[in-house]
Amino acid sequence: MHRPSYGHGRHARTRARFAIAFVIAMSMMLTTAGCAGRSASSSDTGSSRSPVASQNATTSQSPSGTGSAKASDESGGDSGDRTDSAEYLAGRLVSGMSVEEKAGQLMMVPLFSGNAPSTLRETIVRDHVGSVLLIGNWSNGVSATADATSTLRGYAPKDRGLLICTDQEGGQVQHLSGQGFSEIPSAVEQGRMSGPALRRSARSWGEQLAQAGVNVDLAPVADTVTTPSRAGNAPIGALNRDFGLNPAGNGDHAAAFVDGMRDAGIMTAVKHFPGLGGVTGNTDFTAKGIVDSSTTLRGGSDDPIEGFRRAIAAKPDMVMMSLATYAAIDGSSPAAFSSRIMNGYLRKTLGYEGVVTSDSMSAEALGTIPVRELGVRFVSAGGDLICIGDEGDVTPILQGLLERARSDAGFARQVDRAATRVMTLKIRAGLA
């Protein structure tokens, strides 16, 4: 995902928006300080990994679209005719779920720093939500974060463990800090490392996440800045969230980051497909300047899409869709609502078979769309996991999914496919 924090741009979300505005203002005043609660601590607590993280660390890489393989699929392939494949087993699990359980698996809901995990108990137990996003300034260190994630895991059924996610890119986007968490350098600084050095560093950062009970890092950024100045690219260049190289170099470094996190048993999400490097506006906070008129899907070493092609070749567990609109590809809708971009290019042309997640559905870029329609539009276009940056959006988005699935058999089948991809990922990660 993204920025100093996830989007909360709708006018009714005053609390979350104020928090984001505050950290951004602080970052502008203290240019070397991270907006997401970076810590000067670089020591590792040495505490043992959580059970989920330990399972992840012992799995092997899957060759089909995601990076974490279930332990029982030792041979590597996930061919559809194998009765022991993760995809087949996921399909069996999904076929036995109610529509409410399926829809819940498509939801990633926020838990803000300072809020007790118990505030999500009913959301996980009653609404069957399967993923949680740790967001804000979680500055109390690895041990306190592990306590929170342990509580969250206790609410989930044994056969549908939680994806516990955060934004731990580095630089101004690091939500977890304090004792046991390193102060991760910005992506531009990471771009100055060699690939092997970045992989080793990412493994170290991933081990800290694993100790904290987090199993998904919504990183790395594979975008390439193409605006005339870096400062003019508000979501990426101005915040040094890209690796600062050409598309090939950015993609190779993103792949090294993915590999290092995988070495630590941590899943990743390459973002923001097909790239936010050509817009001037930050989709979290504005609906202006978020139409990209230059990005195409022609390919080639100097095309920004090459960064994503190389990153996706490393088989990340997720790909996150941008909320910008790409006039030269599909000018009718944001990428997160474009079947042409998701199904036509990402899945068919690039061959990506894993989970597709959204950028924050609470962003200002989507502020004119009724909240109940957001998840429906994303899943209809081929998306799987709906990332939500505001607590107030959770219920209407979930209700929108359920209403459409109950009344539209075609959409219900799309929910089934999305839930199967999410459950496939969980099986490979030892969560189901």
Side-chain angles (χ1 to χ4, degrees), residues 80-242:
D81 59 350
R82 283 190 50 177
T83 57
D84 63 343
S85 71
E87 185 177 15
Y88 175 84
L89 295 173
R92 291 287 301 272
L93 282 173
V94 170
S95 68
M97 291 182 188
S98 66
V99 65
E100 292 82 7
E101 290 171 322
K102 295 171 189 176
Q105 290 303 305
L106 309 189
M107 303 283 288
M108 184 194 300
V109 304
L111 180 65
F112 284 87
S113 58
N115 289 355
S118 59
T119 60
L120 291 183
R121 184 182 186 281
E122 289 303 302
T123 304
I124 296 169
V125 174
R126 180 195 62 207
D127 297 330
H128 313 288
V129 163
S131 300
V132 174
L133 170 67
L134 304 185
I135 180 172
N137 184 18
W138 287 71
S139 59
N140 291 333
V142 166
S143 179
T145 306
D147 289 342
T149 58
S150 176
T151 299
L152 290 169
R153 285 196 304 274
Y155 299 144
K158 299 300 183 184
D159 62 342
R160 293 194 297 275
L162 290 177
L163 296 175
I164 301 180
C165 316
T166 197
D167 270 324
Q168 203 81 336
E169 298 174 18
Q172 296 191 53
V173 184
Q174 180 173 343
H175 287 278
L176 309 182
S177 63
Q179 176 99 34
F181 288 114
S182 298
E183 183 177 1
I184 302 174
S186 72
V188 167
E189 294 174 90
Q190 295 173 37
R192 300 186 185 112
M193 300 179 184
S194 68
L198 177 55
R199 179 171 181 168
R200 288 191 297 271
S201 292
R203 175 173 182 166
S204 174
W205 305 327
E207 287 170 345
Q208 295 165 9
L209 292 176
Q211 290 164 4
V214 174
N215 50 33
V216 181
D217 188 3
L218 298 175
V221 168
D223 306 56
T224 297
V225 175
T226 60
T227 51
S229 71
R230 290 183 58 81
N233 175 235
I236 307 298
L239 300 174
N240 286 334
R241 297 178 63 210
D242 62 312

Side-chain angles (χ1 to χ4, degrees), residues 185-311:
S186 72
V188 167
E189 294 174 90
Q190 295 173 37
R192 300 186 185 112
M193 300 179 184
S194 68
L198 177 55
R199 179 171 181 168
R200 288 191 297 271
S201 292
R203 175 173 182 166
S204 174
W205 305 327
E207 287 170 345
Q208 295 165 9
L209 292 176
Q211 290 164 4
V214 174
N215 50 33
V216 181
D217 188 3
L218 298 175
V221 168
D223 306 56
T224 297
V225 175
T226 60
T227 51
S229 71
R230 290 183 58 81
N233 175 235
I236 307 298
L239 300 174
N240 286 334
R241 297 178 63 210
D242 62 312
F243 291 108
L245 306 169
N246 60 21
N250 288 335
D252 288 344
H253 276 69
F257 189 100
V258 168
D259 288 339
M261 285 286 165
R262 180 184 295 120
D263 292 342
I266 299 298
M267 294 172 274
T268 51
V270 167
K271 59 190 184 184
H272 311 78
F273 192 83
L276 282 173
V279 299
T280 57
N282 186 327
T283 54
D284 276 347
F285 309 117
T286 184
K288 297 179 180 179
I290 60 172
V291 175
D292 181 325
S293 59
S294 61
T295 295
T296 70
L297 300 177
R298 288 192 298 267
S301 60
D302 60 345
D303 191 320
I305 204 67
E306 175 66 9
F308 287 95
R309 188 191 69 78
R310 293 188 180 219

